[in-house]
Amino acid sequence: MSTPTPGATPSTSTGPSGGTSPGGASSGGASRTPTLAEVVAVLERRYPGRTAVAWDRVGLVAGDPAEPVRRVHLAVDVTADVVDEALAAGADLLVVHHPLLLRGVHGVAADTWKGALVHRLVRGGVALLTAHTNADAAAEGVNEALARAIGLRDLRPLAPAPADPLDTLVAFVPVEDADRLVDALAAAGAGALGDYTRCAWTTTGTGTFEPSPGARPARGEVGRRAEVAEARVEMVLPRHRRAAVVAALRAVHPYEEPAFDVLELADLPGSTGLGRVGTLPAPLTLDALARRVAEALPGTAGGVRYAGEPDGEVRTVAVCGGSGDSLLDEVRASGADAFVTADLRHHPASEARERALFEARTGRRPAATPYLVDAAHAASEWPWLPLAAAALTADLAGAGATVEVHVSTLRTDPWTARVDAAPGGTL
């Protein structure tokens, strides 16, 4: 049986000791109820499915996109108790971090434990959506939430993902049609730069051409050279919108054969990715950092453990919500003094500490860093739930829709107790 999670509760949302996020029902004058499709679209913008790692399974698992969504329930895992909680809350949508159906299944019969959960959700009218590694990588996602929970600032990705591939479209159009072309290209997805839209650069010149027999020129005559005052229009666009943008150009351009170039831009590191690295407002000892982590996260039977000298100084911290020992090389390269994560296995952790001690002894590093801080898996990801609840409420309100968003009060860590070794015990 899951139990209420003890621990600190962020003020912006209900934590483990309460049930309602950002003040309960959304504030503001909006009264329209969104459909599931609209909520999924909002979550997709926050946590794009294309940013999930290849092996992951994210997105809508069950539910009718046309159905209304009045209440959303957020949890780390899909367990029987979480399903009970979502049904009791009257949720129309359960959003979880960990996929229920990560590995391939050939059916969801109700006489299997996973199938039984799916059937209960469907019968109860509760849709199910997973945001896993796409939520790990996202801005204001799982890793940023963990970093904020322990007080880090000046955050950057630990393992940056490439920025969305971009193209530049260069098109030539009669000057009087330039604004109409820019409008059409922007509507198709071009010209977005950060918080700005319809970004374009234009200059003017003279275009010349001679229509051949069979042509139907919008300017000039067949067999005669034409000169037209033209604008050169340049706009950036996400590469995945290339086909749509080119189609929009052809649809609105007055020429039978518009002249344009599509240039692929160099790939650059993006602002998202796995893990985060940040700095503490003031240095802490390793022991104090571990205690801060324990205070910031829901309590678990396993607690928080660390590897390194208790009084070792920590200024820069890397974090990875969930299992993070695959990122130990990135942590070392980042120069972080400590790494906060979960599920650290014996061999990777042992090798990381032995290497750090060796490099400190041989003068290659000033201290035996990075130190390691190991928390429970689900606990390290829980801080994202209140952050996601507030973001979803605000995003839907911005679209003129209102939902209630609740954060699970249940601890889904599977471990229920711990027995410490007796004092003076030997190996």
Side-chain angles (χ1 to χ4, degrees), residues 98-191:
H98 292 144
L100 177 65
L101 306 177
L102 177 61
R103 294 176 177 83
V105 296
H106 68 276
V108 287
D111 61 353
T112 65
W113 75 269
K114 288 187 179 183
L117 294 180
V118 173
H119 276 260
R120 291 184 60 209
L121 290 170
V122 171
R123 289 194 189 107
V126 185
L128 176 62
L129 183 141
T130 300
H132 192 208
T133 53
N134 51 329
D136 289 332
E140 300 188 3
V142 170
N143 289 301
E144 287 197 8
L146 175 58
R148 292 183 192 181
I150 62 177
L152 301 184
R153 59 191 184 185
D154 302 325
L155 301 179
R156 66 183 191 275
L158 174 60
D164 283 347
L166 297 176
D167 294 341
T168 293
L169 177 73
V170 180
F172 301 87
V173 65
V175 170
E176 61 270 22
D177 295 301
D179 281 345
R180 191 161 62 96
L181 178 63
V182 171
D183 289 339
L185 298 181

Side-chain angles (χ1 to χ4, degrees), residues 188-277:
L193 292 172
D195 294 329
Y196 297 85
T197 59
R198 202 185 177 277
C199 301
W201 184 84
T202 62
T203 187
T204 57
T206 301
T208 181
F209 50 87
E210 182 175 315
S212 300
R216 293 178 295 174
R219 303 287 193 278
E221 300 176 11
V222 172
R224 300 187 64 179
R225 186 177 66 185
E227 291 187 350
V228 180
E230 291 184 338
R232 173 190 171 106
V233 176
E234 295 189 28
M235 299 178 77
V236 297
L237 60 136
R239 194 162 298 158
H240 69 272
R241 297 296 300 169
R242 180 189 293 176
V245 170
V246 171
L249 180 148
R250 291 187 181 279
V252 76
H253 202 289
Y255 288 176
E256 185 179 18
E257 293 291 344
F260 66 94
D261 296 318
V262 177
L263 310 175
E264 293 190 355
L265 301 183
D267 293 335
L268 297 172
S271 60
T272 64
L274 297 179
R276 291 294 185 272
V277 181

Side-chain angles (χ1 to χ4, degrees), residues 82-102:
V82 167
V83 172
D84 286 341
E85 187 184 42
L87 291 169
D92 304 298
L93 171 63
L94 173 60
V95 177
V96 294
H97 184 50
H98 292 144
L100 177 65
L101 306 177
L102 177 61

